[in-house]
Amino acid sequence: MPPIYAKITGVGKYLPDYILTNKELETMVDTNDEWITSRTGISERRILKGEGRGTSYMASRAAKAALEDADVDPDEIDAIIVATVTPDYLFPATACLVQKQIGADKAYAFDLSAACSGFLFALTTGGTMIESGRAKKVLVIGADKMSSILDYSDRTTCILFGDAGAAVLLEATDEKVGIIDYIHYTDGDEDRMLYQPAGGSVMPATEQTVEQKLHFLRQEGRSVFKRATEGMADVSLEIMEKNNLAPDDVSWLVPHQANLRIIDATARRMGLDKEKVMINISKYGNTTSATIPLCLADWNDELSEGDNLVLSAFGGGLTWGSIFLKWGK
Ligand code: UT7
């Protein structure tokens, strides 16, 4: 049997309407536009407003857009994977809510949690399901309502993140396009460098956990910055070397958008010019699982058949990795 490959045939995004600018943040915490833009590259981010709206609201809209882009009906979908750290509920999985909201009646659905590397890990999971021959069409969604776990009185974290959802449809093909190779890593020793202390089974919600603000994201910014800069640059170079890709062979770097300085360092290490790097952090901030598919959606019209893409991310866990993907919609 010839090998089966998993290619992206549709991309879609959902961005909430509300724009939280650096100027507005200046009225909320002791910060300023100059500090935020020069240290992170972020000018504004989107916030999902409206009672009863969670991550599935954004994920299902992004999924519908990806299906439209691919011209595929929801009832053709075999499986749905939602990468998120801000699920609507701890259970059922947000992917189950998406399955209902988009009417993908025949799909089985589950969530995957790997923080900012979530979309990468979900994409290779969906890809492997297709390569095995068990599934033909898999929706892979990255969506996070980061505003639901941020402390808007903590200037070191609240300025960094935004809300969004973005999705891709993976389909089986016998051409050698789509996911060609990947490298993923985890370092569980550093579980406290970036995490949400309470709300899980170790520390269920109590009056005290709420009072002590333990349900908000905590990050050792400088340590994560150092690890992320090394990790993303190293793994991006590693996937290039493993696949004999010279800088000229790489059409696009699709990096996780956590900090412009981390993206620049990764591109430099890979020997890539800035024009080959997808950067939209200025408009959306760090949307965790959504950053990479959001880039693919924003650059959808500029991508050409045969383009070599390197997708790279680093996040809590710690988790990080790269995917070498040949565009072939
Ligand atoms: O996506 C998951 C992975 N996450 C990341 O990759 C994030 C990695 N970390 C970072 O991007 C950066 O570490 C931050 C953007 C979070 C912080 O930038 P930094 O250049 O590492 O700043 P710092 O933490 O070293 O702080 C420098 C100064 C401190 O003041 P002092 O101690 O020098 O007086 C901070 O208190 O900047 C201060 N500061 C701020 N000032 C104005 C921290 N946050 C702010 C703020 N506005 N929002």
Side-chain angles (χ1 to χ4, degrees), residues 231-240 253 266 270 310 312 322:
M232 239 170 86
D234 283 354
V235 76
S236 305
L237 195 63
E238 191 183 347
I239 200 132
M240 282 174 71
L253 167 64
T266 302
M270 296 168 76
V310 173
S312 291
S322 260

Side-chain angles (χ1 to χ4, degrees), residues 99 112 130 154 195 197 264 292 303:
Q99 188 247 16
L112 186 151
I130 287 178
D154 174 11
Y195 80 127
D264 286 345
I292 288 177
L303 291 167

